[in-house]
Amino acid sequence: GENVEQHPSTLSVQEGDSAVIKCTYSDSASNYFPWYKQELGKGPQLIIDIRSNVGEKKDQRIAVTLNKTAKHFSLHITETQPEDSAVYFCAASPRWAKLQFGAGTQVVVTP
Amino acid sequence: DAGVIQSPRHEVTEMGQEVTLRCKPISGHNSLFWYRQTMMRGLELLIYFNNNVPIDDSGMPEDRFSAKMPNASFSTLKIQPSEPRDSAVYFCASSGLAGVNFYEQYFGPGTRLTVT
């Protein structure tokens, strides 16, 4: 089945700097790649996603890139703010509706 | 529009007791997913339904776990009998009809289960 690896497991950045989280996947049939943000005590919140026919997608300060040949995708957060502190999960969908999640990245933005 | 609703938010029970977790998906969504989250195993898909029918229950850990979706607006996850290793946060998620937003899954706030 699909295997998703996510790095780094923790990321500490200064406020205003950029943060990058990288994920790799194993199943070449995967065609949907969402990113979730989870704050303490809450459920994962979908923040951005990308489909296999697109190489890059942006939404304000966040962007996601996808390299299908290399089977990796990344989340970029620019101008980080303290409220960006959370755990971020990447996921890949190898077939209809089923998501395989990465292990998560704890992002800490220090003022 | 209300998001995914789960109840209870917290459940503490003794080993051997039956536990029932409840979920109300977003109105109009036709797919529902149950996940379990632990530090050791991360987010695991337990089972998912499409149009109230279980499609894939390969993630259900044991026969002690069962899930039902009697109608489009309600689902339950039952553990009987419960064991301490079932302690985790259980999430329900739902997604919409086929189309642009077909894959987008929206999560509920979760139920934190502690089995002593």
Side-chain angles (χ1 to χ4, degrees):
Chain A
E2 175 65 278
N3 181 48
V4 177
E5 294 193 358
Q6 183 172 347
H7 300 280
S9 56
T10 59
L11 181 59
S12 184
V13 295
Q14 285 286 116
E15 182 178 357
D17 288 349
S18 295
V20 180
I21 304 170
K22 298 181 179 181
C23 290
T24 61
Y25 62 99
S26 61
D27 192 334
S28 57
S30 288
N31 60 3
Y32 174 65
F33 308 90
W35 286 88
Y36 286 83
K37 175 184 180 182
Q38 186 176 23
E39 297 175 327
L40 196 61
K42 297 184 178 181
Q45 175 191 5
L46 178 65
I47 56 171
I48 195 169
D49 57 19
I50 191 167
R51 296 169 197 269
S52 59
N53 59 346
V54 175
E56 183 176 0
K57 184 177 179 181
K58 289 183 180 179
D59 183 2
Q60 298 183 351
R61 295 187 297 108
I62 61 174
V64 57
T65 58
L66 171 65
N67 183 327
K68 284 215 75 180
T69 303
K71 293 187 197 157
H72 66 71
F73 56 112
S74 301
L75 177 71
H76 303 251
I77 307 173
T78 59
E79 300 174 22
T80 53
Q81 300 169 5
E83 53 264 37
D84 295 328
S85 296
V87 179
Y88 291 80
F89 293 94
C90 63
S93 179
R95 54 189 171 90
W96 183 84
K98 198 166 181 176
L99 293 179
Q100 181 65 45
F101 283 87
T105 298
Q106 173 76 61
V107 173
V108 177
V109 180
T110 53
Chain B
D1 187 21
V4 175
I5 298 171
Q6 292 186 246
S7 65
R9 293 295 312 278
H10 302 274
E11 178 78 44
V12 180
T13 191
E14 293 184 347
M15 183 174 63
Q17 296 298 305
E18 176 182 302
V19 175
T20 299
L21 312 181
R22 297 172 175 81
C23 175
K24 176 178 170 55
I26 293 172
S27 177
H29 281 187
N30 67 340
S31 294
L32 184 140
F33 309 81
W34 282 100
Y35 290 89
R36 179 172 66 177
Q37 185 176 41
T38 61
M39 288 295 293
M40 290 297 293
R41 300 176 67 89
L43 267 167
E44 302 174 275
L45 177 65
L46 301 178
I47 185 171
Y48 73 89
F49 296 83
N50 181 247
N51 292 326
N52 312 336
V53 175
I55 302 299
D56 185 342
D57 65 355
S58 60
M60 295 287 262
E62 301 170 33
D63 290 345
R64 298 184 296 105
F65 286 69
S66 62
K68 294 182 179 179
M69 192 165 185
N71 57 63
S73 59
F74 183 66
S75 177
T76 60
L77 178 68
K78 184 180 291 186
I79 307 172
Q80 180 186 23
S82 58
E83 296 183 2
R85 58 192 168 124
D86 301 332
S87 297
V89 181
Y90 291 81
F91 289 104
C92 176
S94 70
S95 68
L97 297 173
V100 173
N101 298 323
F102 180 78
Y103 290 97
E104 296 178 0
Q105 292 186 26
Y106 295 90
F107 282 72
T111 295
R112 180 173 294 277
L113 173 64
T114 302
V115 183
T116 61

